[in-house]
Amino acid sequence: MQPRDLSATSPYVPGRGIEEVARDLGLDPDELIKLSSNENPHGSSPKAVDAVTDRAKEGLHVYPKAAHTDLTEKLADKWDVASEQIWVSPGADGAIDYLSRAMLDPGQSVLVPEPGFSYYSMSARHHHGEVSTYELSKDDGFSQTADLVLEAYDGERIVHLTSPHNPTGSEWTRAEITTLLEAVDDHTLVVVDEAYGEYSERPSSIELVDDYDNVAVLRTFSKAYGLAGLRIGYGVVPQAWADAYARVNTPFAANELACRAALAALDDDDHVDQSVETARWARDYLAENLDAPTFESAGNFVLADVGDASGVAERSQAEGVIIRDCSSFGLPGCVRISCGTREQTKTAVETLNGILAEVAPT
């Protein structure tokens, strides 16, 4: 007995955790700085923590129907859309699955960025779809344009965009997105992943869902809200086909604590403002002080070209700063450095500059 052939699906490779690295190196976890997974260095929203604690004390024996409804309505109000346009999910990757279920017939294709989030492809293949790619070029700073996508486009059912893009930090402009929406075939859905949207200064593409019926937008509470461990996100879709959610949603997939935490986090503007301000400061600090070329980023991370990503990341980890080797993204010369607190970011730059001085070609 064996599962079906999954050899075409590459597994998602997460950043290494502090406990894992500390165990391997025989170090105290408190001695390590983790800047490899784009997590919020300020932790979770305090209001969300209180909401989880209070709810847990009340009991977790009831299905999260009310919490799910409350969160849906609050998000609808936030974005000025109808409640049925909000597809609450276990992380933004859950919303990717819902859209794959809703849109893909077996054998239909999706078009995804390379480098990019591997789950776009994984979800398509899980739903018996095919995958094509469009290439973001290091030579032009990983610029994202409609022309770039349309050169590779061949009538795919779903086109995935990421803005800000992980791991490069590049963005789509509103004009380029609308150009693409108007150029693709009528049967093509354009999905804009805004997992890092809070860190960007550009308007959300959610503003487009009432004008176009071929766009959906993904958001998450994992980053700016600091709720990565609870796996809570959502999609926003056009009203014309929003009722498909009831047919593709996994029953009660977004759990009670996650929904309650997200509800509370939406009211914690101070935490989000602090998280965004720190990330923007850290981006500038890394760009100005790291002794390696960096790429302009609108996320809570910076991509740096260090020449030997594996070697630099391994050395940095041994010295207590965990960063992301981007070889798994097809960028063996680059590392991704998440934005830490001011102290963490300064320590990371000092550590990396010491390593780069030793490994730089003579």
Side-chain angles (χ1 to χ4, degrees):
M1 177 66 183
Q2 293 291 327
R4 66 185 175 93
D5 183 9
L6 298 171
S7 58
T9 301
S10 299
Y12 174 71
V13 181
R16 302 193 74 203
I18 283 183
E19 294 79 7
E20 177 187 6
V21 172
R23 184 173 57 248
D24 289 349
L25 298 180
L27 297 174
D28 183 341
D30 291 338
E31 298 175 358
L32 298 173
I33 298 173
K34 184 187 178 187
L35 302 178
S36 58
S37 296
N38 299 341
E39 294 156 339
N40 192 322
H42 297 294
S44 303
S45 155
K47 291 185 178 181
V49 173
D50 289 343
V52 167
T53 303
D54 293 344
R55 187 61 187 179
K57 290 177 180 178
E58 294 174 8
L60 302 176
H61 57 291
V62 177
Y63 287 111
K65 188 174 187 299
H68 189 286
T69 299
D70 291 346
L71 179 57
T72 297
E73 291 178 353
K74 192 157 191 169
L75 288 168
D77 183 64
K78 172 182 172 65
W79 294 111
D80 193 25
V81 297
S83 59
E84 60 266 26
Q85 293 177 256
I86 302 293
W87 290 17
V88 172
S89 58
D93 44 313
I96 293 170
D97 275 339
Y98 294 161
L99 291 171
S100 294
R101 292 175 197 170
M103 295 295 166
L104 290 178
D105 284 324
Q108 289 186 318
S109 294
V110 303
L111 184 62
V112 306
E114 187 66 37
F117 185 31
S118 62
Y119 199 70
Y120 302 147
S121 298
M122 292 177 70
S123 180
R125 291 192 170 109
H126 291 165
H127 294 86
H128 304 281
E130 303 295 330
V131 179
S132 301
T133 62
Y134 60 94
E135 305 293 327
L136 306 187
S137 172
K138 183 177 177 182
D139 292 339
D140 64 4
F142 303 102
S143 175
Q144 302 191 84
T145 65
D147 285 344
L148 176 72
V149 173
L150 291 170
E151 286 178 8
Y153 175 69
D154 189 28
E156 284 81 4
R157 178 62 160 153
I158 299 175
V159 175
H160 284 281
L161 315 181
T162 317
S163 188
H165 178 263
N166 178 28
T168 71
S170 68
E171 293 187 276
W172 280 83
T173 66
R174 171 64 58 82
E176 291 292 335
I177 290 176
T178 55
T179 296
L180 183 62
L181 291 174
E182 292 169 3
V184 296
D185 295 339
D186 290 343
H187 65 264
T188 297
L189 173 68
V190 176
V191 178
V192 185
D193 185 345
E194 294 184 346
Y196 300 94
E198 285 80 10
Y199 301 101
S200 170
E201 297 183 26
R202 296 184 186 275
S204 172
S205 290
I206 293 173
E207 296 176 2
L208 298 174
V209 298
D210 287 336
D211 295 324
Y212 294 88
D213 66 359
N214 63 338
V215 62
V217 183
L218 309 178
R219 285 264 170 161
T220 183
F221 288 91
S222 294
K223 311 302 181 185
Y225 294 97
L227 301 182
L230 287 176
R231 312 306 305 128
I232 184 74
Y234 58 99
V236 186
V237 307
Q239 194 164 12
W241 49 271
D243 59 356
Y245 181 53
R247 301 179 185 276
V248 299
N249 179 27
T250 303
F252 305 115
N255 71 70
E256 175 75 20
L257 294 183
C259 289
R260 292 298 174 192
L263 276 162
L266 286 169
D267 287 332
D268 200 345
D269 292 337
D270 289 344
H271 180 263
V272 173
D273 290 345
Q274 179 190 35
S275 302
V276 170
E277 190 277 330
T278 299
R280 291 176 179 172
W281 175 89
R283 290 189 321 225
D284 291 341
Y285 188 88
L286 286 161
E288 293 169 4
N289 293 281
L290 188 67
D291 293 338
T294 61
F295 297 88
E296 185 175 355
S297 173
N300 66 335
F301 55 87
V302 168
L303 187 72
D305 191 349
V306 297
D308 176 13
S310 177
V312 170
E314 186 174 344
R315 283 279 306 276
S316 179
Q317 178 176 280
E319 295 187 26
V321 178
I322 310 170
I323 58 175
R324 182 66 182 266
D325 170 8
C326 286
S327 297
S328 63
F329 286 97
L331 298 171
C334 296
V335 296
R336 190 191 65 199
I337 308 160
S338 301
C339 294
T341 62
R342 283 170 170 77
E343 181 180 354
Q344 290 172 338
T345 302
K346 290 177 180 178
T347 298
V349 168
E350 181 179 357
T351 300
L352 287 168
N353 282 350
I355 295 168
L356 292 168
E358 295 181 15
V359 302
T362 57

